[in-house]
């Protein structure tokens, strides 16, 4: 097999492949930094995309892609060490602190599984603002919580228009609490508000009442 490099004048493209292997342009290995001014296609013409990766496979079961690196189109390969972070994918902005990531997805691998992190930047010159969302290896999701104990574990306030549940036991309750107290002619008077709690989330809060005994 003779490996050759050729230039196609009509398209302005450069190819690397096998002389006797029609269409085998993907057999390319390069070192160092490279600048591609136009679009790049791997396995297929890029079209208008800056990068297009084509893998002509489809699978009837998710296990085919979840258990084999070879069955996926893009693989990020990093060294493993227990409880260390691996490189991921980040977004940058040319002309505004372009060496600082503005959003990103990365992983942390331990002997007990891998966590997926998603985060964004609040201060453009600082970098990613902590770990906003974490997908835990035991199918739990944490928001501002690296070690969620529930299916969804939020470290902060939750604002929801509606809350739905397949169950009903203990789902909704109301709670009245005192907001102010005074004594008039030896009698205690108070003001109250009533909150409705649905599934552990405050869904409504009444106005404060007038003075009552």
């Amino acid at each position: 097999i003779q490996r050759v490099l050729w230039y196609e004048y009509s398209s302005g493209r450069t190819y690397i492949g096998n002389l006797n292997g029609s269409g085998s342009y993907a057999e390319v290995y390069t070192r160092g930094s490279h600048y591609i001014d136009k679009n790049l296609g791997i396995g297929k013409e890029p079209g208008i995309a800056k990068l297009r990766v084509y893998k002509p496979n489809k699978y009837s079961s998710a296990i085919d892609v979840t258990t084999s690196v070879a069955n996926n189109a893009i693989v990020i390969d990093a060294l493993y060490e227990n409880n260390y972070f691996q490189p991921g994918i980040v977004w940058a902005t040319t002309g505004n602190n372009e060496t600082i990531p503005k959003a990103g997805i990365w992983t942390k691998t331990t002997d007990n599984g891998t966590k997926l992190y998603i985060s964004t930047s609040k201060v453009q010159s600082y970098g990613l603002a902590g770990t906003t969302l974490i997908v835990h290896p035991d199918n739990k999701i944490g928001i501002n919580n690296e070690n969620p104990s529930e299916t969804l574990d939020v470290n902060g306030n939750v604002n929801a228009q509606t809350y739905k549940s397949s169950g009903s036991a203990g789902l909704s309750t109301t709670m009245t609490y005192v907001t102010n107290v005074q004594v008039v002619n030896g009698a205690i008077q108070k003001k109250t508000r009533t909150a409705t709690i649905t599934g552990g989330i405050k869904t409504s809060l009444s106005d404060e009442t007038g003075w009552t005994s």
Side-chain angles (χ1 to χ4, degrees):
I1 297 176
Q2 298 181 9
R3 300 186 184 276
V4 296
L5 167 69
W6 71 94
Y7 175 76
E8 185 179 75
Y9 180 81
S10 61
S11 65
R13 300 186 181 98
T14 301
Y15 295 93
I16 299 177
N18 298 332
L19 185 62
N20 60 348
S22 176
S24 59
Y25 309 141
E27 296 186 6
V28 179
Y29 179 78
T30 60
R31 284 182 178 272
S33 299
H34 302 274
Y35 172 73
I36 299 175
D37 183 49
K38 301 298 183 180
N39 301 336
L40 174 64
I42 301 176
K44 189 176 184 178
E45 294 287 339
I48 62 174
K50 295 301 290 184
L51 172 64
R52 182 186 297 270
V53 179
Y54 177 64
K55 187 176 179 64
N57 301 82
K58 56 184 179 180
Y59 308 99
S60 60
S61 173
I63 197 171
D64 292 319
V65 293
T66 59
T67 60
S68 174
V69 167
N71 290 341
N72 289 275
I74 297 177
V75 177
I76 299 176
D77 192 357
L79 294 176
Y80 172 77
E81 187 165 348
N82 181 42
N83 211 34
Y84 272 70
F85 292 95
Q86 283 78 42
I89 300 173
V90 298
W91 283 258
T93 51
T94 299
N96 183 358
N97 297 285
E98 58 188 70
T99 63
I100 305 296
K102 306 306 185 297
I105 303 173
W106 68 97
T107 60
K108 180 181 182 181
T109 303
T110 71
D111 292 341
N112 298 318
T114 301
K115 299 177 183 178
L116 178 69
Y117 294 78
I118 300 175
S119 185
T120 57
S121 173
K122 185 175 182 180
V123 181
Q124 300 285 15
S125 61
Y126 180 76
L128 304 184
T131 53
T132 304
L133 189 146
I134 303 96
V135 181
H136 209 262
D138 57 0
N139 297 322
K140 292 182 174 65
I141 295 176
I143 298 178
N144 292 328
N145 187 349
E146 188 171 355
N147 296 294
S149 59
E150 303 295 338
T151 302
L152 176 61
D153 201 331
V154 180
N155 180 17
N157 297 329
V158 176
N159 185 9
Q161 291 183 335
T162 60
Y163 177 85
K164 295 182 179 180
S165 174
S166 59
S168 60
L171 179 63
S172 179
T173 187
T174 58
M175 178 182 66
T176 300
Y177 60 95
V178 176
T179 57
N180 206 343
V181 175
Q182 70 177 7
V183 178
V184 178
N185 298 325
I188 298 177
Q189 295 182 341
K190 61 184 182 294
K191 291 184 177 182
T192 63
R193 299 183 77 176
T194 300
T196 301
I197 309 297
T198 304
I201 301 174
K202 181 185 72 176
T203 55
S204 68
L205 181 64
S206 71
D207 294 333
E208 187 178 53
T209 66
W211 291 108
T212 60
S213 300

